[in-house]
Amino acid sequence: MKTSQASRSGKALHPGLTLLRRSRAPIPRSPARARLETFQNAYPRRDYWIHFECPEFTALCPITGQPDFGAITIDYIPDRLCLESKSLKLYLFSFRDYGAFHEAAVNRILDDLVAHCRPRRMRITGRFNPRGGIAITVTAEHPAHNV
């Protein structure tokens, strides 16, 4: 049986992953207060997609204060860093009390995630439940493609 690098050295393999070690991490009150964490990509020379789904995304309408419900999907090709899923979950949950139009929420998520993990490619899609009889889907990509 192989021993891990962490057990051989006596040090934590991923010392920067603080939220994963906590059994109870509080939900941040806003995206600005959230802490996104990353870890080293084990396959930085290979292009491969990572897919996350958050089917219970909630944000507030910035005008009415009413909750907007939807699903956020994140697809990305990592470069040197990968997003840690627990910190991503807490980050997405931090939108609960955050006022933003759907378009702003999706673009904010893209900007924040790109800033933290610098992926080769990333696509964020928000599929929002109908309000007033209209469902909205917003997709933002990095790098942006000129149409």
Side-chain angles (χ1 to χ4, degrees):
M1 173 186 237
K2 287 179 123 181
T3 58
S4 72
Q5 179 183 5
S7 61
R8 284 193 308 262
S9 69
K11 295 180 181 176
L13 187 58
H14 301 287
L17 298 180
T18 61
L19 294 172
L20 191 56
R21 290 187 175 87
R22 298 168 83 183
S23 61
R24 290 184 150 200
I27 296 172
R29 301 289 293 158
S30 72
R33 292 179 166 207
R35 179 181 188 166
L36 285 164
E37 295 183 342
T38 59
F39 58 91
Q40 292 294 315
N41 180 3
Y43 301 95
R45 293 189 176 134
R46 177 180 299 154
D47 280 354
Y48 64 98
W49 287 94
I50 297 174
H51 176 82
F52 290 110
E53 293 183 30
C54 178
E56 298 175 345
F57 181 81
T58 306
L60 298 178
C61 172
I63 305 301
T64 66
Q66 295 294 311
D68 288 318
F69 300 93
I72 298 290
T73 57
I74 300 163
D75 294 291
Y76 75 104
I77 298 174
D79 191 17
R80 291 182 295 158
L81 299 173
C82 294
L83 292 166
E84 190 280 314
S85 61
K86 184 174 182 178
S87 73
L88 177 62
K89 173 185 77 169
L90 293 171
Y91 167 78
L92 292 172
F93 286 1
S94 76
F95 280 82
R96 266 197 242 182
D97 295 323
Y98 181 72
F101 289 116
H102 304 317
E103 298 84 354
V106 169
N107 280 282
R108 165 83 190 254
I109 293 167
L110 179 67
D111 289 344
D112 289 349
L113 298 185
V114 166
H116 278 83
C117 74
R118 297 183 193 105
R120 292 182 186 144
R121 299 238 5 237
M122 183 173 276
R123 178 181 311 114
I124 311 294
T125 301
R127 289 179 183 83
F128 295 92
N129 296 352
R131 288 227 3 226
I134 298 176
I136 299 173
T137 299
V138 179
T139 301
E141 293 186 358
H142 165 82
H145 294 282
N146 294 329
V147 179

